[in-house]
Amino acid sequence: MPAQMQAAMSRMTAAAKEFSLAQRTLVIIGVAVLVLGAVALSSWLSKPTMSPLFTSLSGADASAVVDELESAGVSYQLTDGGSTVLVPADQLYNQRIKLAAAGLPTNSDGGGYSLLDDMPMTSSEFQQQKTYQRALEGELAKTISAIDGVDAATVRLAMPEDSVFVSEKADPTASVFVRTRAGATLGADQVQSIVHLVSAGIEGMEPNDVAVVDSAGQVLSAVGTGATGGGLAGRQTNEYEERVRSAVQSLLDQVVGAGHSAVTVTAELDYDESQRTLEQFSVSEGTPPLASSTTKEDYTGSGGTATGVLGPDNIAVPEGASGTGTYTSTTEDVTNAVNKSTEVTTAAPGAVERQSVAVAVDTEAVAGIDMADLSQMLAAAAGIDTERGDTIAVQSMAFDTSQAESAEEAFAAADADAKAAASSSFIRQAAIAGAALLLVIIVVIALARRSGKSRRTAIDLGEIPLGRGPHDPLGIEGVSADDLPALPAAPRQLAPDPVAVKRAEIGALADDQPEEVADLLRGWLVGSGSSSGRGR
């Protein structure tokens, strides 16, 4: 080991031996914290960034993907209950290509049209029909699972058998079970999309023939009532009431100020689906007929037939034995052109039958406002239709502000407590930081002093003679008082010992300036050696 390194190690060992127990404990704790921080930082820096390789995997696909990654020696992580596989970002696309080449993921839990690939040629008509039905169910379930918020879906179809009795044929029905993601709920639009997606994918199925149920057991769409069945109708009514209330409340907040008004909306919505067919016929003047036919008969001749006028008792009075006669008959058949218009109107469910709005405002806030103008403005904002039977009531009354004041006081007290806690925490942290800083300063000063003491060089001055000569006032041969640095003036004492004073001064000088004193003595020794050589 080099001498310099060995000297440094010796100094560090000597300095460590001079530490107290508390100082050694602090040093050990500091070194441990530094080592742990370095290890944590290195592990964090060396950890790769993970990206999702596949999401929403089935159990079988996730197991197959994990097996492939383990065989390839690729690190991975599983999240979302094992349905999502994460891999390092730099290997994301390579692993996707390799797994796709291996046929993963297969989506084996969904079935789908892949079931038809393995159908044997000897399968019966019943097997073919059921396999095709399972394929439809799997494809519909996959499509529904792709909707935002849906974690998994299951579709079951009830397909009636074909019959020769067309009038007795039943309509197909479907039941859909959906499991939403954690914290997600399906809105009315999403339920409608699921219903129409399933009904449009099955021949002869109507939207009212689809039932949708979620994992909580709520009926989102019932057979026969559509998506308005179950609790969805009430949810749509609440959404409409909240939308109207928010519009009226936001207008009142700008007019009378926040907290000076209250709005309540009650609405009745019609969820019955009705259809009306209207046929009208009209004739336009000047329009030629579609078809026209005329038949005319003419007869002229004579004969001996008895003709005459009946007399009393139905006895014919003959006019003569012979005569002539004429007969004419005309018949016309015309088919006129008639305009026909057919109008089919289907009323969608969810129309507003009637609504009522109640508004209460603070008397002090509406002191300078015309209530009639305010009522008219709020009626327009709420969409009030008097012909439909809508009503609106706007009343001014004194508001009870005791709860608001108590809440404000509670908030103020909470803010004050939070500020006091923050201030005390800051003071406590500052005190801890100051104490730690003071401790560090004390340790540094102590180490500096000990290091200074360890660097002092012991000087052997030998025995100083008691006597002194005229040219040697200090009693040291070859040393004059002019060669030494000036010493501070010592306080006067009563009859001090000159030798003791000089010893003390030299000792203090050696303690304060050890290097200069050593250089001075080294120079003396070199000078005395050269003078003795010349004497010889």
Side-chain angles (χ1 to χ4, degrees), residues 9 29 51 60 106 124 132 143 150 153 207 220 224 267 289 293 299 311 329 355 376 379 396 403 416 463 526:
M9 292 294 295
I29 293 174
S51 300
T106 61
S124 63
Y132 177 69
T143 307
V150 178
L220 305 180
S293 62
Y299 177 76
S329 176
Q355 66 177 352
Q376 185 177 2
S396 63
Q403 295 182 356
E463 183 178 357
V526 172

Short mmCIF file of all heavy atoms in Angstrom, two decimals, residues 9 29 51 60 106 124 132 143 150 153 207 220 224 267 289 293 299 311 329 355 376 379 396 403 416 463 526:
data_model
loop_
_atom_site.label_atom_id
_atom_site.label_comp_id
_atom_site.label_asym_id
_atom_site.label_seq_id
_atom_site.Cartn_x
_atom_site.Cartn_y
_atom_site.Cartn_z
N MET A 9 -5.15 6.37 5.88
CA MET A 9 -5.91 5.37 6.64
C MET A 9 -5.58 5.46 8.12
O MET A 9 -6.46 5.30 8.97
CB MET A 9 -5.58 3.98 6.10
CG MET A 9 -6.10 3.72 4.69
SD MET A 9 -7.90 3.71 4.62
CE MET A 9 -8.24 2.26 5.62
N ILE A 29 -25.22 5.40 11.29
CA ILE A 29 -26.55 5.63 10.72
C ILE A 29 -26.45 6.37 9.39
O ILE A 29 -27.14 6.04 8.41
CB ILE A 29 -27.43 6.41 11.72
CG1 ILE A 29 -27.73 5.53 12.94
CG2 ILE A 29 -28.73 6.86 11.07
CD1 ILE A 29 -28.46 6.27 14.05
N SER A 51 -44.94 -1.86 -20.16
CA SER A 51 -46.05 -1.45 -21.03
C SER A 51 -46.99 -2.64 -21.21
O SER A 51 -46.55 -3.79 -21.19
CB SER A 51 -45.54 -0.96 -22.39
OG SER A 51 -44.69 0.15 -22.24
N ALA A 60 -57.34 -18.68 -19.80
CA ALA A 60 -56.55 -19.59 -20.63
C ALA A 60 -55.53 -18.83 -21.48
O ALA A 60 -54.36 -19.25 -21.59
CB ALA A 60 -57.48 -20.40 -21.54
N THR A 106 -55.84 -16.47 -28.22
CA THR A 106 -56.82 -17.17 -29.04
C THR A 106 -58.25 -16.77 -28.72
O THR A 106 -59.17 -17.13 -29.45
CB THR A 106 -56.69 -18.68 -28.84
OG1 THR A 106 -56.92 -18.99 -27.45
CG2 THR A 106 -55.31 -19.15 -29.25
N SER A 124 -74.68 -33.61 -37.07
CA SER A 124 -76.10 -33.60 -37.43
C SER A 124 -76.59 -32.18 -37.61
O SER A 124 -75.90 -31.19 -37.31
CB SER A 124 -76.91 -34.31 -36.35
OG SER A 124 -76.79 -33.61 -35.11
N TYR A 132 -73.86 -23.02 -34.52
CA TYR A 132 -74.02 -21.69 -35.11
C TYR A 132 -74.59 -20.71 -34.10
O TYR A 132 -74.18 -19.54 -34.04
CB TYR A 132 -74.93 -21.79 -36.33
CG TYR A 132 -75.21 -20.46 -36.98
CD1 TYR A 132 -74.22 -19.76 -37.66
CD2 TYR A 132 -76.48 -19.89 -36.89
CE1 TYR A 132 -74.48 -18.54 -38.24
CE2 TYR A 132 -76.75 -18.65 -37.48
CZ TYR A 132 -75.74 -17.99 -38.15
OH TYR A 132 -75.99 -16.76 -38.72
N THR A 143 -68.20 -8.38 -28.96
CA THR A 143 -68.48 -7.00 -29.37
C THR A 143 -68.94 -6.16 -28.19
O THR A 143 -68.52 -5.01 -28.04
CB THR A 143 -69.54 -6.99 -30.47
OG1 THR A 143 -69.13 -7.88 -31.52
CG2 THR A 143 -69.72 -5.60 -31.04
N VAL A 150 -67.32 -1.92 -19.90
CA VAL A 150 -67.74 -3.32 -19.79
C VAL A 150 -66.50 -4.19 -19.68
O VAL A 150 -65.61 -4.14 -20.54
CB VAL A 150 -68.60 -3.74 -21.00
CG1 VAL A 150 -68.98 -5.21 -20.89
CG2 VAL A 150 -69.85 -2.87 -21.09
N ALA A 153 -68.92 -9.89 -20.86
CA ALA A 153 -70.33 -9.99 -21.25
C ALA A 153 -70.62 -11.43 -21.67
O ALA A 153 -69.75 -12.15 -22.17
CB ALA A 153 -70.64 -9.03 -22.40
N PRO A 207 -86.00 -4.78 -30.61
CA PRO A 207 -85.30 -4.27 -29.42
C PRO A 207 -86.01 -4.60 -28.12
O PRO A 207 -85.37 -4.75 -27.07
CB PRO A 207 -85.23 -2.76 -29.67
CG PRO A 207 -85.29 -2.63 -31.16
CD PRO A 207 -86.18 -3.72 -31.63
N LEU A 220 -81.52 -3.67 -16.53
CA LEU A 220 -81.33 -2.47 -17.33
C LEU A 220 -82.29 -2.41 -18.51
O LEU A 220 -82.61 -1.33 -18.99
CB LEU A 220 -79.88 -2.38 -17.83
CG LEU A 220 -78.80 -2.45 -16.75
CD1 LEU A 220 -77.42 -2.36 -17.37
CD2 LEU A 220 -78.99 -1.37 -15.70
N GLY A 224 -90.16 -6.97 -23.43
CA GLY A 224 -91.50 -6.41 -23.53
C GLY A 224 -91.58 -4.94 -23.23
O GLY A 224 -92.48 -4.24 -23.69
N ALA A 267 -91.00 15.89 -12.64
CA ALA A 267 -91.42 15.66 -14.02
C ALA A 267 -92.02 14.27 -14.14
O ALA A 267 -91.67 13.34 -13.40
CB ALA A 267 -90.23 15.81 -14.97
N PRO A 289 -110.02 10.69 -65.59
CA PRO A 289 -110.29 9.44 -64.89
C PRO A 289 -109.33 8.35 -65.32
O PRO A 289 -108.75 8.38 -66.40
CB PRO A 289 -111.73 9.12 -65.30
CG PRO A 289 -111.91 9.80 -66.61
CD PRO A 289 -111.09 11.05 -66.54
N SER A 293 -116.14 3.77 -69.28
CA SER A 293 -116.84 2.92 -70.26
C SER A 293 -118.32 3.34 -70.33
O SER A 293 -118.90 3.68 -69.29
CB SER A 293 -116.72 1.45 -69.85
OG SER A 293 -117.33 1.23 -68.59
N TYR A 299 -133.80 0.62 -79.29
CA TYR A 299 -134.75 -0.38 -79.82
C TYR A 299 -135.90 0.34 -80.51
O TYR A 299 -136.49 1.27 -79.91
CB TYR A 299 -135.31 -1.25 -78.71
CG TYR A 299 -136.34 -2.24 -79.19
CD1 TYR A 299 -135.95 -3.39 -79.88
CD2 TYR A 299 -137.69 -2.00 -78.99
CE1 TYR A 299 -136.90 -4.28 -80.34
CE2 TYR A 299 -138.64 -2.91 -79.45
CZ TYR A 299 -138.24 -4.05 -80.12
OH TYR A 299 -139.19 -4.93 -80.58
N GLY A 311 -156.92 -0.56 -66.54
CA GLY A 311 -158.06 0.19 -66.06
C GLY A 311 -158.48 -0.28 -64.70
O GLY A 311 -157.72 -0.91 -63.97
N SER A 329 -131.48 2.99 -73.86
CA SER A 329 -130.86 2.83 -72.51
C SER A 329 -129.36 3.13 -72.62
O SER A 329 -128.67 2.59 -73.49
CB SER A 329 -131.06 1.41 -72.00
OG SER A 329 -130.39 1.23 -70.77
N GLN A 355 -94.61 18.73 -16.08
CA GLN A 355 -93.59 18.99 -15.08
C GLN A 355 -94.00 20.19 -14.25
O GLN A 355 -94.72 21.07 -14.72
CB GLN A 355 -92.22 19.23 -15.73
CG GLN A 355 -92.14 20.48 -16.59
CD GLN A 355 -90.75 20.70 -17.15
OE1 GLN A 355 -89.82 20.01 -16.78
NE2 GLN A 355 -90.61 21.67 -18.03
N GLN A 376 -91.39 34.82 -15.08
CA GLN A 376 -91.42 34.62 -16.52
C GLN A 376 -90.07 34.13 -17.04
O GLN A 376 -89.99 33.25 -17.91
CB GLN A 376 -91.84 35.92 -17.21
CG GLN A 376 -92.03 35.79 -18.72
CD GLN A 376 -92.51 37.08 -19.33
OE1 GLN A 376 -92.68 38.10 -18.63
NE2 GLN A 376 -92.73 37.07 -20.64
N ALA A 379 -89.61 30.49 -16.01
CA ALA A 379 -90.46 29.61 -16.80
C ALA A 379 -89.85 29.33 -18.16
O ALA A 379 -89.91 28.21 -18.68
CB ALA A 379 -91.85 30.22 -16.94
N SER A 396 -91.00 34.28 -2.58
CA SER A 396 -89.91 34.91 -1.81
C SER A 396 -90.22 34.75 -0.33
O SER A 396 -91.34 34.99 0.11
CB SER A 396 -89.78 36.38 -2.18
OG SER A 396 -90.96 37.09 -1.84
N GLN A 403 -77.72 27.43 9.74
CA GLN A 403 -76.86 26.31 9.35
C GLN A 403 -75.71 26.77 8.48
O GLN A 403 -74.58 26.30 8.62
CB GLN A 403 -77.69 25.25 8.62
CG GLN A 403 -78.75 24.59 9.49
CD GLN A 403 -79.51 23.51 8.76
OE1 GLN A 403 -79.31 23.31 7.56
NE2 GLN A 403 -80.40 22.81 9.46
N ALA A 416 -58.47 27.48 10.36
CA ALA A 416 -57.54 27.97 11.38
C ALA A 416 -56.74 26.81 11.98
O ALA A 416 -55.52 26.92 12.20
CB ALA A 416 -58.30 28.72 12.47
N GLU A 463 17.55 20.31 27.04
CA GLU A 463 17.60 20.99 28.33
C GLU A 463 18.07 22.43 28.10
O GLU A 463 19.10 22.67 27.49
CB GLU A 463 18.59 20.27 29.26
CG GLU A 463 18.63 20.89 30.65
CD GLU A 463 19.57 20.15 31.58
OE1 GLU A 463 20.11 19.13 31.12
OE2 GLU A 463 19.75 20.57 32.72
N VAL A 526 20.83 22.89 10.78
CA VAL A 526 21.68 22.92 9.59
C VAL A 526 22.81 23.93 9.77
O VAL A 526 23.97 23.68 9.44
CB VAL A 526 20.82 23.25 8.36
CG1 VAL A 526 21.71 23.48 7.14
CG2 VAL A 526 19.84 22.11 8.08
#
